[in-house]
Amino acid sequence: MATSLARISRRSVTSALSSNLIRRNFAAEAVAVATTETPKPTSEVTPSLDRVKWDYRGQRQIIPLGQWLPKVAVDAYVAPNVVLAGQVTVWDGSSVWNGAVLRGDLNKITVGFCSNVQERCVVHAAWSSPTGLPAMTLIDRYVTVGAYSLLRSCTIEPECIIGQHSILMEGSLVETRSILEAGSVVPPGRRIPSGELWGGNPARFIRTLTNEETLEIPKLAVAINHLSGDYFSEFLPYSTVYLEVEKFKKSLGIAV
């Protein structure tokens, strides 16, 4: 009886040992397969061969809307990141500086001879004016529009200065040889007479301009025109950067 029990215990021990060895062998094989088939994740991502890094903004400068195409004179300077849309006309010797947006999607916008629209200005035009005056936005000759100004369906006659951060609402009229101080707000239908200095919110009469001050107004516009000539010499032959990039891509055989 004792010998039979000893035999049974030996068989159970050997079977348990063999099962443990089999399990260890299977686990080792699984680890080996996992290490050989599954690659280790790497922190570096290898870019594809057809991708090229471009340092440019795909912004369109000239945006035609239907049958309306913005018109820019040959010697007018328009910065590369300016947006001209729809019925916009930029006449000879004028300049539109960086970040300005001229939206002629509802009515006409005209920038006259030797005038300048400085940085971050927004010029728009409504369908119609509540005052009955023309709803188009007209910036006549020798006009300086300061940076960050907002013009909407207004008329600025020749030889005027619009200060920075000014707002001109629908139907407002700035007559010739007048100056609007910085930060002024001209309500709809307000008329600023000729030869006067206005300012405030809403804009109010401050004083009459002297003869020397009125003579300096066109000189400022001419000086900015000469300054734009230095920028114009560095201007791209094509009005937008993205066209140059697409042309370069095609020359390298990269699909656009």
Side-chain angles (χ1 to χ4, degrees):
M1 185 70 181
T3 55
S4 61
L5 289 173
R7 291 175 182 175
I8 292 170
S9 61
R10 289 175 183 174
R11 289 177 182 176
S12 60
V13 170
T14 53
S15 62
L17 291 174
S18 61
S19 62
N20 289 333
L21 290 174
I22 292 171
R23 288 175 184 174
R24 290 178 182 176
N25 292 332
F26 279 138
E29 291 179 359
V31 170
V33 170
T35 54
T36 54
E37 292 183 357
T38 305
K40 295 181 180 180
T42 57
S43 58
E44 297 181 357
V45 179
T46 304
S48 58
L49 297 177
D50 60 342
R51 291 186 62 86
V52 183
K53 295 181 179 180
W54 306 101
D55 185 13
Y56 80 104
R57 298 180 181 181
Q59 174 179 309
R60 297 178 62 187
Q61 184 190 56
I62 305 296
I63 302 178
L65 298 175
Q67 61 178 339
W68 306 110
L69 177 67
K71 301 176 182 178
V72 181
V74 177
D75 59 345
Y77 170 70
V78 179
N81 59 343
V82 168
V83 176
L84 306 178
Q87 309 175 60
V88 179
T89 303
V90 181
W91 284 97
D92 306 71
S94 57
S95 57
V96 184
W97 295 81
N98 302 74
V101 178
L102 281 68
R103 285 178 49 208
D105 47 4
L106 301 180
N107 218 317
K108 296 179 181 180
I109 297 175
T110 303
V111 181
F113 172 77
C114 204
S115 295
N116 59 88
V117 179
Q118 297 180 10
E119 290 83 355
R120 302 292 181 182
C121 288
V122 177
V123 183
H124 194 224
W127 281 111
S128 59
S129 174
T131 59
L133 296 173
M136 63 176 290
T137 299
L138 174 61
I139 303 173
D140 217 317
R141 63 186 183 274
Y142 296 106
V143 173
T144 298
V145 180
Y148 295 92
S149 296
L150 172 62
L151 281 62
R152 179 174 170 84
S153 295
C154 59
T155 300
I156 305 175
E157 293 185 351
E159 300 182 14
C160 293
I161 295 178
I162 308 300
Q164 299 178 359
H165 293 270
S166 296
I167 300 176
L168 279 71
M169 303 300 291
E170 293 90 342
S172 57
L173 171 63
V174 182
E175 292 186 353
T176 182
R177 295 180 180 176
S178 56
I179 297 177
L180 189 65
E181 283 189 343
S184 302
V185 178
V186 182
R190 180 67 57 88
R191 181 181 70 90
I192 298 179
S194 176
E196 294 182 357
L197 173 65
W198 284 53
N201 182 12
R204 296 182 177 87
F205 171 76
I206 298 177
R207 62 177 175 85
T208 303
L209 296 175
T210 63
N211 186 32
E212 290 77 12
E213 290 174 336
T214 57
L215 292 176
E216 290 295 326
I217 295 176
K219 293 180 181 179
L220 176 61
V222 172
I224 296 176
N225 179 27
H226 292 165
L227 180 62
S228 66
D230 298 335
Y231 287 83
F232 192 80
S233 62
E234 297 294 331
F235 193 56
L236 292 174
Y238 299 97
S239 59
T240 46
V241 180
Y242 82 100
L243 291 177
E244 284 290 307
V245 174
E246 290 181 356
K247 181 179 178 182
F248 185 55
K249 278 185 174 181
K250 291 179 181 179
S251 66
L252 297 178
I254 301 174
V256 179

